[in-house]
Each structure stands twice: as structure tokens, then as C-alpha cells.
Amino acid sequence: MAKVEEYLQFLRGKGFIFREEELGFISFGQLYSGTNDAQVIAAIEITLKAQKHFDGSYFVALLEHLKSENISKRKIAYQYAKEKGII
């Protein structure tokens, strides 16, 4: 699994530019929720799909849900998001 920084570089290559504030939310969210890189990457992806842009508070809330549900894999995170009607 890629690290968060590698994933963000991948997204930059695809045209997604994150402002400093948004990068701060990503770092804060990971530290605050105690989530791993796979959970953070899944939350970024789901946030972008659901919101059509990066929403820091939405991202942090989603990370907290992934953590509380013990979801640590991307595929399961997507299943959870579909079940909850997020995407």
C-alpha cells in the first residue's frame, strides 16, 4: 500500500492540487484519529468522490467512522461508504 505522501503526489499528477490548509487537515486527521495510511488514503478518495472537492471536516469525520468501525482496508471502506449512502 502506498504512503499518504505518495498518494498525494499521484493525485497532483492527475491535477488535484491540495492547498496547505488541506494538507494540514490530512496530517491532523491522521494524527487525531490514529489511523493508518490505508485508512487515510481511502478517506481521501471517498471524500473526493462524495464531495467533488476536498472538505477537511468531512474527511476527519469519515476517518473517525473508519476507525470506530475498525475498517482498515480500502475495499471495505468503499463497501461501508456505499452501505451508508455516502457514494
Side-chain angles (χ1 to χ4, degrees):
M1 174 48 65
K3 299 222 178 257
V4 173
E5 289 183 20
E6 293 169 351
Y7 182 68
L8 293 174
Q9 285 184 325
F10 167 77
L11 289 177
R12 268 185 232 115
K14 297 289 184 184
F16 290 98
I17 307 299
F18 291 90
R19 297 179 313 223
E20 194 64 35
E21 175 184 316
E22 294 165 333
L23 295 173
F25 260 105
I26 293 169
S27 294
F28 169 78
Q30 185 169 18
L31 291 172
Y32 174 75
S33 62
T35 50
N36 64 40
D37 283 353
Q39 290 168 306
V40 172
I41 290 168
I44 292 169
E45 288 180 5
I46 293 168
T47 298
L48 291 173
K49 285 184 186 232
Q51 299 294 310
K52 308 297 184 222
H53 67 282
F54 187 80
D55 179 328
S57 58
Y58 186 92
F59 166 77
V60 172
L62 180 57
L63 268 182
E64 290 176 331
H65 284 287
L66 295 179
K67 178 73 172 188
S68 70
E69 297 289 329
N70 294 317
I71 297 171
S72 61
K73 297 188 180 194
R74 181 182 176 272
K75 184 176 180 180
I76 297 170
Y78 268 85
Q79 288 174 340
Y80 173 80
K82 287 179 183 175
E83 288 171 9
K84 297 295 181 184
I86 296 170
I87 56 172

